[in-house]
């Protein structure tokens, strides 16, 4: 029983440490089957891309005046939302007398490419309005935005933000197989961008292609590596056990 | 006549080979859909069930004690994810797909456990000792997820695999880790 408690404690500690070092919000929790995301919906689809419904907007209302810890959560309606935003209510700036603010993140076609890469998927425009006139969302460290990439295998993209005067990089965390998150949720445009270096390294003409190609090769290498590692592990373990169980040589 | 030791060795190699084959098939069938491919998930689960059957899996014990171990293990597995989920918005999923998704997830989780903590663990325990059985099944569990989910999941799956191995050792049956694994995966719908 002591051994069981010790091992369980060790397992719980290892689990906590693993989540601290590498929190995986990716579905599923540990294994099983990924959530059934539908194909990415583009505003303007690449040539030869399958037919899909148009992408949806994410919308939410927020009663004003808000309490200090209120937050509005927006998510688009795709299976596997393509955009999700959490806005701290105190970051909403509305005219005095406003009783409700309307927040939305609309998909728009990319118009200007950032200088350091290529936009991968739609641009999402985060905006606000209120029943008393125009409103906006100021920058807040507590807000964050998650974008789903068109395909799963990631070529290490980043989320960029354009408040209207040019694109700038945001600190980006991969929080799922195809999900990327950045802190901050001020009004403006957001997009997943593949930096030019990654784009050119992979030698492709479109952002989505290198991800698929490198992933297929990577998967194959991982499968082969896993098989080899498992077989080597088994052989070493078996040999060690045989060596241990072999009787000592007898003296002539 | 094959000795018990030789038979265990064959089962270890057979189970590891079966796992590798199942993973390779899943990756091949899934293509760019990756883990989200339902057909690949079903194929993966069925191949693992076939491997478990071919390796002569013993009938798992089905007792309240085993299930209690499983529920406790699932709670431990879910706790860190729940805490992380509290701090972020997560993904809001439509409810309509849950039944189909849950069926396949349960198939995959149970099939994995039958091979790993069923056949492979038992063979390793026969051939070596409990520590070796937990260690090898933990490493195999972590490695088999890499092709589908990526290297960034290795650490967490090592920890989760170790916990499932400890549950297997403590409860004396594959039922407990199978229950824990399945419940934790199913909870992922709300913990994403």
């Amino acid at each position: 029983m002591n051994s069981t408690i010790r091992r369980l404690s060790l397992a719980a500690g290892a689990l906590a440490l693993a989540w601290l070092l590498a929190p995986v919000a990716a579905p599923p929790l540990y294994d099983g089957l990924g959530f059934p995301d539908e194909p990415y919906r583009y505003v303007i689809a690449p040539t030869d891309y399958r037919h899909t419904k148009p992408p949806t907007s994410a919308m939410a209302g927020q009663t004003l005046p808000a309490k200090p810890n209120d937050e509005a959560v927006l998510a688009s309606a795709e299976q596997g939302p393509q955009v999700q935003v959490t806005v701290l209510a105190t970051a909403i700036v509305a005219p005095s007398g406003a009783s409700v603010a309307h927040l939305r993140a609309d998909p728009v076609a990319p118009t200007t490419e950032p200088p350091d890469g290529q936009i991968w998927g739609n641009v999402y425009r985060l905006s606000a309005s209120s029943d008393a006139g125009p409103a906006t969302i100021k920058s807040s460290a507590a807000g964050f935005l998650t974008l789903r990439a068109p395909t799963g295998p990631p070529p290490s993209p980043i989320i960029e933000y354009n408040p209207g005067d040019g694109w700038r990089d945001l600190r980006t965390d991969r929080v799922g197989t195809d999900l990327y998150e950045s802190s901050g949720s001020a009004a403006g445009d957001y997009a997943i961008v593949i930096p030019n270096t990654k784009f050119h390294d992979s030698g492709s003409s479109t952002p989505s292609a290198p991800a698929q190609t490198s992933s297929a090769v990577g998967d194959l290498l991982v499968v082969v590596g896993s098989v080899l590692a498992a077989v080597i592990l088994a052989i070493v373990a078996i040999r060690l056990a045989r060596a241990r169980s072999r009787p000592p040589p007898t003296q002539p | 006549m094959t000795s018990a030791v030789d038979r265990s060795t064959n089962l270890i190699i057979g189970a590891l080979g079966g796992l590798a084959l199942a993973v390779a098939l899943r990756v091949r069938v899934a293509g760019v859909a990756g883990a989200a491919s339902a057909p690949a998930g079903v194929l993966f689960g069925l191949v693992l069930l076939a491997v478990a059957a071919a390796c002569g899996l013993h009938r798992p014990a089905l007792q309240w004690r085993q299930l209690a171990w499983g529920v406790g293990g699932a709670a431990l597995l879910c706790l860190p994810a729940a805490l992380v989920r509290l701090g972020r918005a997560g993904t809001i999923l439509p409810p309509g797909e849950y039944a189909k998704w849950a069926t396949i997830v349960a198939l995959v989780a149970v099939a994995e456990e039958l091979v790993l903590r069923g056949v492979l663990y038992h063979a390793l325990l026969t051939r070596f000792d409990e520590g070796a059985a937990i260690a090898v099944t933990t490493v195999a569990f972590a490695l088999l997820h890499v092709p589908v989910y990526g290297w960034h999941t290795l650490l967490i799956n090592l920890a989760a695999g170790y916990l499932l191995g400890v549950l297997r050792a403590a409860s004396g049956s594959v039922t407990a880790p199978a229950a824990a694994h399945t419940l934790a995966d199913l909870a992922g719908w709300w913990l994403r």
Side-chain angles (χ1 to χ4, degrees), chain A residues 4 7 10 15 19 22 27 29-35 79 81 84 86 144 174 181 212 219 222 227 237-238 241-242, chain B residues 20 26 35 37 77 80-81 88-91 94 101 112 127-128 130 145-147 156-157 162 181 184-185 188-189 192:
Chain A
T4 300
R7 281 174 170 170
L10 182 61
L15 207 54
W19 274 91
L29 194 48
Y30 294 107
D31 178 33
L33 179 75
F35 289 87
Q79 174 69 3
Q84 298 167 80
T86 298
F144 51 88
R174 184 184 173 204
E181 184 176 283
Q212 295 174 9
D219 284 346
V222 169
V227 172
I238 290 163
R242 277 192 179 159
Chain B
R26 183 177 189 181
S37 168
L77 287 170
R88 57 186 296 276
T91 298
W101 177 85
E112 274 187 9
R127 186 69 181 79
F128 306 105
E130 199 172 76
H145 294 106
V146 170
I156 277 180
N157 278 319
Y162 180 67
H181 189 163
D185 280 356
W189 185 270
R192 189 186 188 191

Side-chain angles (χ1 to χ4, degrees), chain A residues 150-164:
Chain A
T151 61
S156 302
I158 53 170
I159 292 178
E160 294 204 19
Y161 167 59
N162 183 358

Side-chain angles (χ1 to χ4, degrees), chain A residues 27-28 33-39 50 148 150-153 177-178 211-212 215-216 219, chain B residues 26-41 147-149:
Chain A
L33 179 75
F35 289 87
D37 286 349
E38 65 178 284
R50 68 171 74 191
R148 173 155 76 91
T151 61
T177 306
D178 51 4
Q212 295 174 9
S215 166
D219 284 346
Chain B
R26 183 177 189 181
V27 170
R28 178 76 181 160
V29 171
V32 293
S37 168
V148 182
Y149 301 109

Side-chain angles (χ1 to χ4, degrees), chain B:
Chain B
M1 178 181 277
T2 310
S3 71
V5 169
D6 286 344
R7 178 173 156 71
S8 299
T9 306
N10 291 339
L11 285 177
I12 292 166
I13 292 169
L16 288 174
L19 280 168
L21 173 70
V23 172
L25 281 173
R26 183 177 189 181
V27 170
R28 178 76 181 160
V29 171
V32 293
S37 168
V42 171
L43 178 67
F44 179 67
L46 292 177
V47 170
L48 287 181
L49 287 181
V51 170
C55 292
L57 175 76
H58 296 286
R59 200 177 78 170
L62 194 60
Q63 299 164 342
W64 287 112
R65 181 174 164 272
Q66 309 289 345
L67 293 175
W69 272 110
V71 172
L76 262 181
L77 287 170
C78 291
L79 184 63
L83 293 175
V84 169
R85 177 70 173 79
L86 283 176
R88 57 186 296 276
T91 298
I92 299 155
L93 291 158
E97 295 279 338
Y98 186 73
K100 174 189 158 198
W101 177 85
T103 305
I104 302 173
V105 163
L107 166 71
V108 170
V110 170
E112 274 187 9
E113 289 307 317
L114 290 181
V115 174
L116 280 168
R117 253 72 61 172
V119 171
L120 184 58
Y121 185 97
H122 188 263
L124 287 162
L125 193 61
T126 307
R127 186 69 181 79
F128 306 105
D129 58 19
E130 199 172 76
I134 293 176
V136 174
T137 52
T138 297
V139 173
F141 177 79
L143 282 177
L144 82 89
H145 294 106
V146 170
V148 182
Y149 301 109
W151 284 106
H152 68 287
T153 63
L154 185 71
L155 200 57
I156 277 180
N157 278 319
L158 277 172
Y162 180 67
L163 176 58
L164 293 169
V166 172
L167 286 178
R168 168 66 177 85
S171 69
S173 168
V174 69
T175 306
H181 189 163
T182 306
L183 291 173
D185 280 356
L186 294 181
W189 185 270
W190 294 279
L191 296 174
R192 189 186 188 191

Side-chain angles (χ1 to χ4, degrees), chain A residues 36-103:
Chain A
D37 286 349
E38 65 178 284
Y40 193 85
R41 300 187 193 179
Y42 285 93
V43 176
I44 299 176
T47 316
D48 298 333
Y49 191 73
R50 68 171 74 191
H51 175 74
T52 64
K53 294 177 184 172
T56 61
S57 297
M59 290 177 280
Q62 174 62 49
T63 309
L64 298 175
K67 293 172 190 164
N69 291 325
D70 279 356
E71 58 184 27
V73 179
L74 301 73
S76 60
E78 294 87 11
Q79 174 69 3
Q82 293 181 184
V83 61
Q84 298 167 80
V85 193
T86 298
V87 177
L88 202 64
T90 50
I92 301 169
V93 183
S96 60
S99 62
V100 64
H102 303 285
L103 311 174

